[in-house]
Amino acid sequence: MKPKLLEVKDLHIHFKTYAGIVQAVRGVNFELYEGETLAIVGESGSGKSVTSNALMKLIPQPPGIYANGEILFNGRNIVPLSEKEMAKIRGNDIAMIFQDPMTSLNPTMRIGNQITEVILQHKAASRHEAKERAMELLKLVGIPFPEKRYKQYPHELSGGMRQRIVIAIALAANPKLLIADEPTTALDVTIQAQILELMKDIQQRSNTSIIFITHDLGVVANVADRVAVMYAGQIVEYGTVNEIFYNPKHPYTWGLLGSMPDLNNSSDELLRTIPGSPPNLISPPVGDAFAPRNEFAMAIDYEQEPPMFQVSPTHFAKTWLLHPDAPNIPVPDVVQQRINRYVKEGEMR
Amino acid sequence: MTRTKILEVNGLKQYFGSASNPIKAVDDISFYVYEGETLGLVGESGSGKSTTGRSIIRLYDVTGGDIYFKGQNIASIKSRKDLKHFNKDMQMIFQDPYASLNPRMTASEIITEGFDIHGMYKNKKERAEKVAELLEAVGLSRTHASRYAHEFSGGQRQRIGIARALSLDPSFIIADEPISALDVSIQAQVVNLLKKLQRERNLTYLFIAHDLSMVKYISDRIAVMYQGRIVEIGPADEIYNEPVHPYTKSLLSAVPQPDPLSERTRTRIPYVHETVKGDIVAHEVAPDHFVFATSEQLTRWQL
């Protein structure tokens, strides 16, 4: 078993608003091992970005409140740490890649300086050493003509190149944990594929752990070792990438898988949709938050919140359907047929 | 059965900037759209797909080429009356449901704006009935009519955008990345809605997008654009199963699939653009499937 790098225990994040307290994250538990990639998937408003920002302690307080829970990084709880102590961890031990490379770089600073800034901040390096390291990083992330790029400004580069720079900055201090919040959403598919390859390559070389936040299940299948599916501020299904894609147990996961066409979908069949929209987290529903959108909801779903049922040593799902007394609901046909086809194709390879 | 071509684009050019050093956003493209079908237009950002859509609906004055809609050259529409008729018949759905709805107007006002311009449904009761009918057609409720845009979620807003586009009973709709800004589960709802409306109203769609899985799903035919040109066009299944142009192949190889086993073994095909000597012409490699290449390139690619 690989050593555990991060453990999140019963994390609750609230936001005070005029309308009331928004319970954005409602009891999230997960762990992350060294060198692995955990993907967090969910719709907007499911709490995936709040969770990842919370790990960096980037939630502004107020209006944000760390209402409950622990974030253990290398065994040390970082929730009570002061801003000064956090500044030593941010960018050094934990680094972040944001969605939009257009806005996450400083437009008035040369690219080289934006990279060396991190190195000089966190490492005992001279200006000269920092520059050498920055050049190495530019080469590592596949920037052609690093000498020239070093002196350029962000606006002189394309979106894909800028995201490479953002990755270079994130890697500058050799972080143990890299949080990537929708890093490829703003990019074209071809560029997305390059960035994903780059991230996997870097992970293999430096054994970095990655938390990858996305709503694109194709990307998840590509990068993740394990997957956490979030809905209404909670993890509703959690397992290895194969378990989530080939043996999904939660009706919300079925909905997500069914609503995404793959290249083999016939256009005669309608896509499976999840009816309705996510609940208001100011007053989360009693019972299972997904119940109003769940065609398989039972009476108990409206009364009591389901616990995490264990499916395998690594696979958990939060749905009453897994209770021994629940009726046996099979995976919807569209999803099951696709899984069967994938597995069959996999065996043929 | 011969199909009617509702739209024909011949040698469309759309240049921006100075005449001496223009930016060739769209550079000499030709295609047609059959009545009642969906033509998907795909390509990366900057390939000219949105510009193509905007030129067709006369948001730009074209630099060169002709666009025929229902047999009429749209550049020759001059009189106010004919222009109004054209504007009624061709409508657009925009990408960003947040930016494309006026926050100071109610859903009803947004939908009925076209009625005022075209002097339709002047009777109050008749008009309210039409709004209710449109809202229900796009899966909203008639009680939503008096609400403002900010009171709706992203998926609901896009439905209002669709209702607005449908309000004047158009026959042709240009959908410019209509689902890119929406969540996955909501995307499926909107796509199903677009398909349902197409069946019910015999609509023709030009569907512009960069999400290839969704384009494949919704389109009958697909045109692939690269740097202002169409490189390959054909039936959706053909393009996906038998792509010929290396750019199409590269684009397809980059689409991640929700299948971890195949993702682990998938190799991306990089695309290297060739500068060619000789004329690039359309080669029909299969019925209705055209590849734009020189003869030498085509023989090489088909090996």
Side-chain angles (χ1 to χ4, degrees), chain A residues 231-344:
Chain A
Y231 185 76
Q234 297 176 323
I235 293 178
V236 295
E237 188 160 7
Y238 182 54
T240 66
V241 68
N242 285 3
E243 285 166 340
I244 298 291
F245 280 84
Y246 301 134
N247 189 22
K249 291 293 180 194
H250 198 285
Y252 180 64
T253 315
W254 297 343
L256 282 183
L257 289 168
S259 58
M260 183 189 173
D262 72 350
L263 293 178
N264 291 301
N265 259 67
S266 150
S267 37
D268 301 331
E269 60 199 54
L270 279 185
L271 290 175
R272 237 192 110 70
T273 63
I274 307 173
S277 46
N280 182 341
L281 291 178
I282 289 177
S283 48
V286 183
D288 186 345
F290 185 58
R293 302 177 76 187
N294 182 2
E295 56 180 300
F296 310 111
M298 300 174 285
I300 190 170
D301 281 307
Y302 295 95
E303 289 161 16
Q304 217 178 325
E305 196 181 309
M308 271 284 186
F309 287 96
Q310 185 161 15
V311 182
S312 82
T314 48
H315 189 186
F316 302 84
K318 194 180 171 70
T319 167
W320 282 119
L321 291 178
L322 290 172
H323 191 275
D325 294 343
N328 184 19
I329 307 277
V331 180
D333 282 350
V334 190
V335 179
Q336 190 58 52
Q337 281 162 13
R338 191 191 290 179
I339 292 170
N340 293 347
R341 196 183 64 233
Y342 286 154
V343 173
K344 210 170 124 202

Side-chain angles (χ1 to χ4, degrees), chain A residues 108-171:
Chain A
T108 66
M109 240 172 119
R110 288 180 204 276
I111 282 156
N113 289 345
Q114 299 196 44
I115 303 174
T116 52
E117 189 185 30
V118 184
I119 303 166
L120 294 170
Q121 176 73 36
H122 291 295
K123 305 284 170 200
S126 68
R127 288 211 151 265
H128 181 73
E129 285 162 353
K131 182 176 178 182
E132 268 181 11
R133 169 84 181 132
M135 296 297 286
E136 268 172 39
L137 284 163
L138 286 175
K139 277 179 211 146
L140 177 73
V141 297
I143 301 268
F145 314 112
E147 289 282 353
K148 182 178 152 206
R149 300 299 183 197
Y150 189 88
K151 294 193 200 95
Q152 283 183 321
Y153 289 93
H155 75 263
E156 296 177 77
L157 303 183
S158 67
M161 283 296 151
R162 275 183 240 188
Q163 197 60 302
R164 285 171 195 266
I165 303 287
V166 173
I167 294 174
I169 295 171
L171 294 174

Side-chain angles (χ1 to χ4, degrees), chain B residues 3 5 32 34 221 231-235 238 242 244 280-295 298 302:
Chain B
R3 294 191 287 174
K5 290 174 185 169
Y32 46 79
Y34 291 119
R221 291 189 308 128
V231 297
E232 189 161 1
I233 183 168
E238 278 268 324
E242 312 282 336
V244 175
I280 289 182
V281 287
H283 298 271
E284 188 163 13
V285 292
D288 235 6
H289 178 183
F290 297 91
V291 179
F292 293 79
T294 63
S295 310
L298 189 71
Q302 282 188 319

Side-chain angles (χ1 to χ4, degrees), chain B residues 54-68:
Chain B
R54 284 160 170 261
S55 301
I56 292 170
I57 202 164
R58 285 188 44 141
L59 284 175
Y60 302 131
D61 289 324
V62 300
T63 313
D66 296 308
I67 298 165
Y68 292 92

